[in-house]
Amino acid sequence: MNRGFMIEFRLDIRSGVAPYLQLVQQVRQALRLGLLRHGDQLPTVKEVVAMVAINPNTVLKAYRELEREGLVSARPGVGTFVTSSLAPVSPAAHGPLRQDLRRWLAKARRAGLDDDSIEALFQATFRAASQQDIA
Amino acid sequence: MLWLSWRQFRAQALVGAAVLAVAAVALGLAGASLAHLYAVAGVPGCQAAGGCARALRLFSASTDGAASVHVLELAATAMSVVPGLVGVFWGAPLVARELETGTHRLAWTQSVTRARWLAVKLVLVGLAGVVLTGLLSLMVTAWSSPLNQLNLDRFAYGPFGEQGIVPAGYAAFGFVLGVTAGLLIRRTLPAMAATLLVFTAIRMGFTYGARRLLMAPLRVTGPLNLQNLGLAISNHHKLTLYASGGHRGAWIYSVQVLTPAGRPYVSGPAPRSCTGGDFRTCLQAISQLHLRQIVTFQPASRFWAFQWYETGLFILAAVALAAACVWWIRRRMN
Amino acid sequence: MTAVLQAAGLGKRYRRQWALADCTLEVPGGYVTGLVGPNGAGKTTLLHLAVGLLEPTAGTITVLGGAAAAGPAQLARVGFVAQDTPVYVHLSVAEHLRLGARLNPGWDAALASARIDQLGLDPAKRAGKLSGGQRAQLALTLALAKRPELLILDEPVASLDPLARREFLQHLMEATAEHGLSVVLSSHVVADLERVCDYLVVLTGAHVQVTGETEDLLAQHHLVTGPRRDPAALPGDWQVITASHTDRQSTLVIRTAGPVLDPAWTVSPLSLEDLVLAYLSQAASPARDRALLRLGA
């Protein structure tokens, strides 16, 4: 089977995001960037833990979640393969988003928030939203 | 488990083998030389030829200062130390080193129980110690046997433990004693020291205290034996006698000198010929006193019985102590 | 899920000091369980009781359904890597493998030599000449090649440099994935455990403080800050682990099953290390405090 791109996982303990979610996000990111394509095989559980020194159950959980989202499919005895791709965010989409963000930042500054408060607010909202996406 | 025990014991075994090899060569040469002197002096077959006294005198003279005798006597003295060395260097570190370095945490978490681990090591190294000591002792005894004709002291306290089979028995016991010390003390050097002390104490205690109890001694009454008689004359012409009792090659417990009437003779007036005269006439004069003696002794013929009893006791003690060690390591450690 | 380790009222006393007291827990199979706590908390004692190197003073311990180290069959099912990975310094790597082969009926020689090759260890090299990381890997190989059902490791990475530490954990996880092992490992370095353990036992001051799946524990414990509140005024389903108050503000580490809905409280994420520290300060009485500080907790 064509291996294609060998995704390299990283784990950031301090990020506050559950490990298995970090793996899920990294797969999604690779899909979005077009690095992982339809038919590519994800590394085996054994390969992932040998790379990243995390619990095998974490990888299993991440792969199950990706399968639940319909992004990958597990074939027993063979491996886990990418079954769909995520619409890449075209550079064109970035422009309007960036403008919206600049406007929001200006608003926040006018409301009296300093840099740290802005960042804290963003992180908390972002995290809560990510959790909700999964739930 | 056999492989591991052997592999861990390998270096010590090589030392033992080297010692055995060197001893075999040295003692073999000395023994051959001694046997040659023995034959030249005409001692073999001297009884059939009519008298051994002259042959033995010749032999004694020829061995005076001989190198072979020095070597064999040195070996005999070394034999008194070998069992203790086996205990200190082969016994004490057996368990203590594992406990000290923590390797027991590796050894006891394989698929072998502690009891089996210890039992195999005890048997392998213990047997090796006994065999080594036994072979050395055999060589010394066999090649020194001509000297026994001269010295006749093999039943004495020191020499008894240096020849025959008892050293092997001591080695077995010393070894297990060392293992016990290592098991209880858990540190190699203190265990070695403790083994040395306790082993020496037990050996001394047995030699000077218990050995005489193994068999009831003979008590023989008879006329005072004038061989090897020691005497002292005080300024007041008082004669004190030190009787050896005769009984060649025997282990004399005590000799009591009696007057002809049967009362203990402590000291008496010295005969005139003993003061400033020739020794032989003095002896003749003493023999005229018709003194008697009671000798309490073990006859020379019992030498080997004593060897077997003592060896047996030490081996029994070794086995009992070994069983206690296995019980201890199973039940009571930690 | 069957439990691989069960303790009921387990205790171990040395002379007058209880190294472990009143320990009751059930470690489930199929997990990588972390035994976390400061030095001197009783981790090594608990693990030594599990592998039969120690006898309990009180209570019982059951490993894989049987008594600890009850016989050759039981010994074969549990692999153990002791603290500071003791090896026979005069024996070579190959001889250590031979030791494993001779002393373990279930020895997998192919696995052992494959691992040694993969690790790049020279079979003829004496174990005493290996680096700390290599010795740890050798000890791990010995424990894995006997094909145990349960693998117990006592502070396996404590004395290793960061690279060796990472490599060790990588190999351990790889083996866990490959053979479906249950693993129990102890450490006083919480960061190591956070990435690797999905079940936790927190041990401080010779007592078990809390056990549970890592994810659940992290989800249920929160650091909350808010205006000064009386302890009695706190919600009933909150279990307060630590609390500190100024005259205006209260900062608490709490355990609760549900979410914190009261907007007066600011909820901050709690790392595993913070969680352990919270239990540490909860458990510490003044005397123990000093003892733990002395031991470098």
Side-chain angles (χ1 to χ4, degrees):
Chain A
M1 237 328 144
N2 169 35
R3 211 21 182 306
F5 167 70
M6 177 64 153
I7 184 170
E8 277 204 21
F9 290 109
R10 293 170 338 272
L11 189 73
D12 181 4
I13 300 199
R14 312 220 169 278
S15 72
V17 178
Y20 87 98
L21 274 180
Q22 292 185 34
L23 297 184
V24 169
Q25 285 169 1
Q26 285 169 39
V27 171
R28 281 215 218 104
Q29 180 77 335
L31 283 171
R32 229 176 255 121
L33 292 174
L35 295 168
L36 270 179
R37 282 184 274 262
H38 178 91
D40 281 348
Q41 183 181 10
L42 290 180
T44 62
V45 174
K46 199 174 142 191
E47 283 167 344
V48 176
V49 304
M51 213 192 300
V52 190
I54 56 170
N55 192 305
N57 288 338
T58 309
V59 184
L60 284 169
K61 200 164 177 192
Y63 282 16
R64 271 201 299 272
E65 177 57 32
L66 287 166
E67 195 170 10
R68 202 192 59 87
E69 289 181 10
L71 294 172
V72 306
S73 159
R75 276 183 242 153
V78 189
T80 310
F81 296 86
V82 178
T83 52
S84 81
S85 32
L86 287 174
V89 181
S90 64
H94 283 178
L97 284 169
R98 199 176 289 124
Q99 279 194 330
D100 283 345
L101 198 54
R102 273 213 202 92
R103 258 183 247 129
W104 180 86
L105 279 172
K107 257 177 144 177
R109 289 258 163 68
R110 280 199 297 271
L113 270 69
D114 66 0
D115 286 353
D116 284 338
S117 319
I118 291 176
E119 188 155 1
L121 180 58
F122 175 75
Q123 288 284 13
T125 317
F126 177 63
R127 226 177 270 127
S130 307
Q131 305 279 35
Q132 276 189 335
D133 282 345
I134 300 302
Chain B
M1 194 56 227
L2 259 180
W3 174 82
L4 180 64
S5 305
W6 160 249
R7 179 60 188 83
Q8 287 185 280
F9 175 57
R10 202 174 64 180
Q12 292 159 313
L14 286 174
V15 169
V19 166
L20 202 58
V22 167
V25 170
L27 295 180
L29 288 174
S33 164
L34 188 66
H36 178 71
L37 291 174
Y38 195 64
V40 160
V43 183
C46 64
Q47 288 209 304
C52 288
R54 188 164 173 277
L56 286 172
R57 263 202 310 275
L58 266 174
F59 182 50
S60 172
S62 66
T63 57
D64 207 14
S68 56
V69 174
H70 281 312
V71 169
L72 286 164
E73 284 178 348
L74 193 65
T77 315
M79 276 321 296
S80 63
V81 185
V82 167
L85 292 178
V86 168
V88 169
F89 288 99
W90 287 11
L94 194 82
V95 179
R97 182 148 295 152
E98 299 255 1
L99 292 174
E100 206 170 14
T101 55
T103 49
H104 67 289
R105 289 183 271 139
L106 175 63
W108 296 355
T109 51
Q110 303 302 309
S111 306
V112 174
T113 60
R114 291 186 220 171
R116 173 121 182 259
W117 175 85
L118 181 62
V120 175
K121 282 180 156 244
L122 273 173
V123 169
L124 181 77
V125 184
L127 271 179
V130 168
V131 166
L132 173 71
T133 313
L135 284 176
L136 285 172
S137 164
L138 188 73
M139 290 194 287
V140 170
T141 308
W143 282 318
S144 308
S145 59
L147 289 176
N148 280 331
Q149 302 282 44
L150 288 181
N151 297 335
L152 298 169
D153 66 347
R154 64 177 189 169
F155 222 146
Y157 290 120
F160 183 85
E162 295 167 1
Q163 57 184 289
I165 56 167
V166 278
Y170 298 155
F173 179 71
F175 170 73
V176 182
L177 190 66
V179 173
T180 311
L183 208 47
L184 296 175
I185 298 176
R186 298 161 176 253
R187 291 255 171 299
T188 311
L189 284 178
M192 287 167 82
T195 306
L196 187 63
L197 284 173
V198 176
F199 180 70
T200 309
I202 292 181
R203 271 272 281 125
M204 293 288 124
F206 196 92
T207 301
Y208 293 101
R211 183 180 296 156
R212 54 181 43 228
L213 303 170
L214 287 177
M215 255 197 249
L218 298 179
R219 271 171 73 102
V220 169
T221 316
L224 179 68
N225 187 302
L226 297 170
Q227 278 182 326
N228 294 327
L229 189 67
L231 44 83
I233 301 178
S234 71
N235 291 339
H236 304 286
H237 300 290
K238 275 279 173 79
L239 173 71
T240 316
L241 292 173
Y242 304 97
S244 71
H247 298 285
R248 296 161 50 93
W251 176 15
I252 311 291
Y253 284 19
S254 64
V255 183
Q256 214 186 14
V257 182
L258 303 173
T259 61
R263 281 205 223 103
Y265 174 93
V266 179
S267 62
R272 226 170 311 124
S273 45
C274 287
T275 50
D278 143 55
F279 190 67
R280 209 183 279 171
T281 35
C282 175
L283 277 185
Q284 273 177 341
I286 289 175
S287 75
Q288 296 304 320
L289 295 174
H290 296 295
L291 294 171
R292 299 177 66 68
Q293 64 177 23
I294 302 181
V295 187
T296 314
F297 70 112
Q298 302 283 2
S301 56
R302 290 190 182 177
F303 175 78
W304 280 105
F306 268 76
Q307 283 267 327
W308 282 105
Y309 280 152
E310 189 157 332
T311 308
L313 279 175
F314 271 86
I315 296 217
L316 213 63
V319 170
L321 198 54
C325 282
V326 173
W327 172 84
W328 177 267
I329 210 174
R330 247 175 116 210
R331 292 255 160 273
R332 293 281 297 123
M333 272 208 93
N334 277 311
Chain C
M1 183 65 68
T2 51
V4 290
L5 204 98
Q6 283 163 302
L10 185 66
K12 178 67 186 172
R13 184 177 59 187
Y14 289 110
R15 291 178 215 186
R16 240 161 284 168
Q17 184 92 335
W18 285 90
L20 190 68
D22 211 12
C23 171
T24 300
L25 51 76
E26 255 190 51
V27 173
Y31 285 79
V32 176
T33 301
L35 184 59
V36 59
N39 288 325
K43 307 191 293 294
T44 299
T45 307
L46 177 56
L47 295 182
H48 281 196
L49 285 163
V51 296
L53 286 173
L54 289 177
E55 292 274 310
T57 313
T60 59
I61 181 159
T62 311
V63 178
L64 296 172
Q74 174 75 353
L75 282 166
R77 299 166 76 196
V78 180
F80 181 60
V81 178
Q83 198 165 8
D84 294 332
T85 60
V87 292
Y88 288 104
V89 293
H90 297 301
L91 264 58
S92 70
V93 170
E95 283 173 328
H96 273 86
L97 295 192
R98 203 151 164 210
L99 184 163
R102 292 308 193 96
L103 263 54
N104 294 292
W107 185 257
D108 187 340
L111 181 102
S113 50
R115 269 191 60 90
I116 295 296
D117 283 340
Q118 187 194 9
L119 291 164
L121 291 179
D122 177 8
K125 200 166 187 190
R126 285 198 167 183
K129 297 250 162 62
L130 297 174
S131 71
Q134 289 174 320
R135 265 189 21 227
Q137 294 284 16
L138 174 62
L140 182 60
T141 305
L142 289 175
L144 288 172
K146 73 187 263 204
R147 303 309 297 267
E149 291 167 42
L150 170 65
L151 185 61
I152 298 183
L153 306 108
D154 188 2
E155 305 247 10
V157 294
S159 50
L160 301 183
D161 64 77
L163 181 61
R165 189 178 290 177
R166 178 56 60 90
E167 282 178 347
F168 185 89
L169 290 176
Q170 282 168 333
H171 282 258
L172 178 61
M173 288 300 103
E174 199 181 343
T176 307
E178 182 161 7
H179 305 298
L181 293 172
S182 300
V183 178
V184 175
L185 68 114
S186 76
S187 181
H188 63 277
V189 178
V190 186
D192 287 338
L193 299 178
E194 207 162 345
R195 56 193 309 131
V196 148
C197 298
D198 48 359
Y199 197 89
L200 286 178
V201 174
V202 178
L203 198 64
T204 64
H207 285 81
V208 172
Q209 301 300 328
V210 66
T211 71
E213 293 194 29
T214 312
E215 233 178 72
D216 290 345
L217 289 179
L218 286 173
Q220 290 169 10
H221 288 78
H222 309 277
L223 177 68
V224 295
T225 10
R228 174 75 193 253
R229 281 291 174 93
D230 211 5
L234 296 171
D237 64 337
W238 282 17
Q239 184 193 346
V240 177
I241 314 297
T242 61
S244 66
H245 308 273
T246 64
D247 49 337
R248 298 271 178 87
Q249 197 185 48
S250 292
T251 306
L252 309 167
V253 172
I254 60 161
R255 182 181 187 180
T256 181
V260 177
L261 296 169
D262 188 344
W265 293 105
T266 311
V267 182
S268 314
L270 200 65
S271 74
L272 196 58
E273 190 148 11
D274 295 330
L275 196 156
V276 174
L277 283 173
Y279 276 98
L280 200 73
S281 33
Q282 182 208 43
S285 64
R288 275 213 212 99
D289 238 344
R290 285 195 293 275
L292 288 165
L293 283 170
R294 246 190 288 126
L295 291 164

